[in-house]
Amino acid sequence: MMVPISLEHEILTTLAKLAPAQQRQVLDFVRFLPLTPAGVTGQSLLTFAGTIQAHDLTQMQHPIDTDCEQVNVNEW
């Protein structure tokens, strides 16, 4: 795949400003990217809209309400 020269230049310029440890992180990330599944579009997921029964959604909502987005200040 061809990368536009301006994009490649910007990446290399920014990379050169990073500390060696940060450059290693960038390299690790870039090597990981091709291994990451591409995923699906939101449009393709719309086919599932409305397929979960209302009763099931209600059952799913309860644990979300009681267990999610709660901060335990003593956790850290």
Side-chain angles (χ1 to χ4, degrees), residues 4-76:
I5 292 175
S6 60
L7 177 60
E8 185 175 339
H9 176 71
E10 185 175 351
I11 291 169
L12 292 174
T13 301
T14 305
L15 187 63
K17 296 176 184 177
L18 299 177
Q22 292 172 310
Q23 290 178 359
R24 172 58 64 181
Q25 286 180 310
V26 171
L27 178 60
D28 292 343
F29 178 70
V30 170
R31 286 181 174 162
F32 175 75
L33 283 175
L35 307 175
T36 306
V40 296
T41 65
Q43 184 69 32
S44 66
L45 294 176
L46 287 176
T47 60
F48 298 104
T51 60
I52 301 176
Q53 300 297 317
H55 173 72
D56 294 333
L57 291 173
T58 302
Q59 286 185 313
M60 293 166 56
Q61 188 64 46
H62 179 70
I64 292 170
D65 290 340
T66 58
D67 298 328
C68 294
E69 297 192 31
Q70 293 186 12
V71 177
N72 181 350
V73 294
N74 297 316
E75 185 174 1
W76 296 95

